[in-house]
Amino acid sequence: MEGWGWQKVHHPDHVERVVERIRQSFELGTPWEDTFPLRGRDGEYRWFLSRALPIRNDAGEIVRWFGTNTDITEQIAAERALRESEARFRELADNISQFAWTAERTGWIYWYNKRWLDYTGTTLKEMEGWGWQKVHHPDHVERVVERIRRSFELGAPWEDTFPLRGRYGEYRWFLSRALPIRNDAGEIVRWFGTNTDITEQIAAERALRELNQTLEQRVEAETRERLEIWNVSQDLLVVADLKGRYLRVNPAWTTILGWSESELLGKTSQWLLHPDARKKGRAEATFENQLRHKDGSYRWISWKSATDRGRIYSTGRDITKLKHAEETLQRARRAAAQGARRASLAAMSAGIAHEIRSPLGAIALNANTGLLSLAAAPVDLDAVRNCLNDIVADVERTNKVIESVRAMFVQTREPGVLVGVNDIIGQTIALLRTEVAAAGTQIELALAPDLPLITGHAGQLQQVFLNLAINATEAMMKISDRPRLLRIESRRLGPKGVELLFQDSGIGIDPQDTERVFETFFTTKPNGMGMGLAICRSIIEAHGGTLSVARAVPNGALFRAALPND
């Protein structure tokens, strides 16, 4: 693949255009973006959104390029399905947390979802066409209009970040994206766009950036002005012997940690270390640890050490605020990533269809069985009654599936109640009776008695257990050299929590995919949409728990759901 060898895996109908466009970008030093199919090792083609950016040195010269290829095959398929079900799309789009809109081929916006109109306090008549400029910040609107017009003219995906005014005059920052929707001939028929609120993320990034700048400026000032570092330094300075005993400390120890020089000299850092750090040796020149303040709290310190002539010279910087800012930023990024996954409207209808296909199939099977029983002579009323009971149960199961999927996109304030996971598992097995029997699968239960009740939503948890059991059953369909066995185990997790294990004897999961299987739209099934496990993990995380997978021994996959109930 090195050099220009990547052309070998490009589709012959596209490779000439791709080569020409990327050559122009390399020559002009401009960012590059294109969409095209790539051939996999199995000979099949999948569609990718590819981007490349020039990496420049301090002089502004390009030293290398960095490129990415994002698989959008399912997205393209979902967009096609979206075109076939516009009414359902709009119904679902009105209930997501992001703003959404659609525009004609020329960029004339003709529809906004309800959240956009609620936030801006406007009407569709006010916003249609290019009316959206009214709620943009005056410092940004000219740039935004120019960039989105260019995207509409070129038919290229658009992305930008800018503030939008709410109904009460306040501004919040949004990450906005728009993609062209094409027909089978490749012609753009409309545009689909989303706006994701990232105000908290930007604020966290700004706080972290300002803190980093403050720390850097402090170091530069101390070096440049060559002050009396020992007495005025805001960093912890210490000279110790080779056994770590403090021989000399600067006044910053009193300022930052409250300890006087007399309380520190002759001692090592062991009595100040956080209990978690005492078990770990520190031989590195640069490291971080937590030291106890005189008031009993702990402060994060970043250390640099050097040894010279039998002495250890160390400088410690208080990074407690930086640590807190990093934690805030990580939480914001996780929230933004989860919001971005939920903003993938084009695949909602397909994902829901995938989730309810199984109960609908069971309904159809029970209905046919009931008809056959009615046609028999004499009529087996017990068999007909059992079929009707199963149909009622499967309808309820379908409703719970829809409600659990809907809960992924609509913030609910409904509190959880105390539920027993063993009871939910028993109900789940009863619902799966028909599918399990048809697949030739045996279920082995190892449910621990006297498990604590947990706070949660029984319907959502049952959807997780159903999905894991159905996936396990499907994973064992192709095996014939060993029994098809699904083992479901429950056990206590700490004083209040529970842990659930779903182990099958199927084909297993590739180790490199053990985390990707929970990504939205990633699937190993030929006809899968990659929604089921993503929804399962979101439900478990909403209950304060975790969902993970590993290879089972000797065969199959092992899914672990931990619900701490703290």
Side-chain angles (χ1 to χ4, degrees), residues 143-435:
R143 169 183 56 83
V144 174
V145 170
E146 174 62 24
R147 291 190 61 183
I148 199 170
R149 281 188 187 276
R150 190 179 308 122
S151 292
F152 287 152
E153 292 170 0
L154 299 176
W158 168 76
E159 181 176 304
D160 206 345
T161 303
F162 46 75
L164 291 176
R165 188 180 68 247
R167 63 168 60 230
Y168 301 113
E170 79 286 0
Y171 283 90
R172 294 185 68 83
W173 282 86
F174 289 83
L175 171 63
S176 298
R177 295 187 173 107
L179 289 175
I181 309 300
R182 302 177 184 271
N183 58 21
D184 293 338
E187 301 166 334
I188 296 177
V189 294
R190 67 177 65 88
W191 291 77
F192 174 70
T194 60
N195 304 78
T196 303
D197 192 331
I198 58 170
T199 306
E200 284 73 16
Q201 178 182 350
I202 287 179
E205 291 174 346
R206 183 183 296 117
L208 182 59
R209 186 166 55 250
E210 291 174 354
L211 184 57
N212 281 332
Q213 291 174 351
T214 299
L215 294 174
E216 293 171 358
Q217 292 169 0
R218 182 187 303 164
V219 172
E220 293 174 358
E222 290 172 354
T223 303
R224 184 175 60 253
E225 298 175 8
R226 297 184 180 277
L227 297 173
E228 297 178 2
I229 296 177
W230 189 262
N231 291 322
V232 302
S233 174
Q234 298 183 38
D235 294 335
L236 303 179
L237 304 179
V238 58
V239 180
D241 61 21
L242 295 181
K243 294 184 178 180
R245 291 189 293 261
Y246 293 170
L247 303 177
R248 189 182 178 194
V249 296
N250 71 330
W253 284 81
T254 304
T255 303
I256 296 175
L257 295 172
W259 302 104
S260 67
E261 183 178 13
S262 61
E263 292 173 309
L264 296 168
L265 295 184
K267 300 178 180 179
T268 69
S269 62
Q270 288 299 310
W271 69 292
L272 295 176
L273 283 175
H274 191 282
D276 293 343
R278 293 174 189 168
K279 304 173 184 178
K280 305 175 182 178
R282 288 294 185 189
E284 304 93 337
T286 302
F287 60 92
E288 298 174 359
N289 61 18
Q290 289 179 274
L291 294 185
R292 179 165 51 88
H293 192 281
K294 196 169 184 177
D295 63 8
S297 63
Y298 284 88
R299 308 286 296 179
W300 275 100
I301 310 295
S302 175
W303 291 99
K304 292 183 179 179
S305 298
T307 302
D308 183 44
R309 300 179 183 180
R311 292 288 184 267
I312 301 174
Y313 300 88
S314 301
T315 303
R317 174 155 298 168
D318 185 351
I319 58 169
T320 306
K321 291 183 178 179
L322 178 60
K323 283 287 188 180
H324 293 165
E326 288 176 344
E327 293 173 0
T328 300
L329 177 59
Q330 289 299 324
R331 287 195 296 269
R333 284 178 172 168
R334 286 194 295 268
Q338 186 179 20
R341 291 196 301 269
R342 294 178 178 177
S344 303
L345 301 178
M348 285 183 187
S349 56
I352 296 173
H354 170 66
E355 292 299 322
I356 67 174
R357 186 178 294 115
S358 177
L360 289 179
I363 290 172
L365 179 60
N366 281 311
N368 287 329
T369 303
L371 290 173
L372 291 174
S373 298
L374 287 173
V379 175
D380 188 348
L381 293 179
D382 289 337
V384 174
R385 185 178 297 105
N386 289 336
C387 290
L388 292 176
N389 287 333
D390 286 344
I391 290 173
V392 171
D394 286 324
V395 169
E396 180 61 21
R397 172 183 162 192
T398 304
N399 287 332
K400 290 181 178 179
V401 170
I402 294 172
E403 286 302 315
S404 64
V405 174
R406 180 177 179 272
M408 288 291 298
F409 307 101
V410 179
Q411 295 293 331
T412 177
R413 296 184 179 180
E414 182 180 352
V417 298
L418 291 176
V419 296
V421 295
N422 283 351
D423 295 336
I424 299 174
I425 290 175
Q427 297 164 8
T428 302
I429 299 304
L431 291 174
L432 285 171
R433 183 175 65 251
T434 303
E435 289 91 335

Side-chain angles (χ1 to χ4, degrees), residues 112-163:
Y112 293 89
N113 72 342
K114 187 175 182 295
R115 290 191 181 274
W116 168 281
L117 300 177
D118 288 346
Y119 171 77
T120 59
T122 60
T123 64
L124 176 59
K125 186 174 181 58
E126 294 176 287
M127 292 290 99
E128 66 180 352
W130 295 83
W132 48 265
Q133 301 176 51
K134 301 172 186 176
V135 297
H136 274 250
H137 195 285
D139 295 343
H140 298 263
V141 64
E142 184 176 348
R143 169 183 56 83
V144 174
V145 170
E146 174 62 24
R147 291 190 61 183
I148 199 170
R149 281 188 187 276
R150 190 179 308 122
S151 292
F152 287 152
E153 292 170 0
L154 299 176
W158 168 76
E159 181 176 304
D160 206 345
T161 303
F162 46 75

Side-chain angles (χ1 to χ4, degrees), residues 424-563:
I424 299 174
I425 290 175
Q427 297 164 8
T428 302
I429 299 304
L431 291 174
L432 285 171
R433 183 175 65 251
T434 303
E435 289 91 335
V436 169
T441 299
Q442 296 178 344
I443 295 182
E444 177 184 309
L445 296 179
L447 306 181
D450 302 324
L451 287 179
L453 299 178
I454 66 168
T455 303
H457 299 271
Q460 294 181 10
L461 292 174
Q462 185 178 73
Q463 170 60 16
V464 174
F465 302 161
L466 279 169
N467 196 293
L468 294 178
I470 291 172
N471 283 353
T473 301
E474 293 176 351
M476 295 185 286
M477 290 297 292
K478 295 182 179 179
I479 66 170
S480 59
D481 59 342
R482 56 184 178 272
R484 298 174 181 174
L485 177 63
L486 170 59
R487 187 176 193 273
I488 302 177
E489 179 181 356
S490 67
R491 57 195 185 193
R492 184 181 292 268
L493 179 65
K496 299 181 180 179
V498 296
E499 182 179 57
L500 300 167
L501 302 174
F502 288 73
Q503 180 176 344
D504 62 68
S505 60
I507 58 177
I509 296 175
D510 192 313
Q512 66 183 9
D513 293 335
T514 53
E515 192 60 28
R516 295 191 65 200
V517 295
F518 296 105
E519 297 177 3
T520 307
F521 309 135
F522 176 83
T523 180
T524 59
K525 302 177 183 178
N527 299 318
M529 289 302 300
M531 290 287 287
L533 287 177
I535 292 174
C536 288
R537 172 171 277 188
S538 296
I539 291 174
I540 294 298
E541 289 178 348
H543 283 72
T546 60
L547 179 62
S548 60
V549 65
R551 290 187 65 87
V553 178
N555 305 106
L558 174 62
F559 282 84
R560 176 181 180 270
L563 296 165

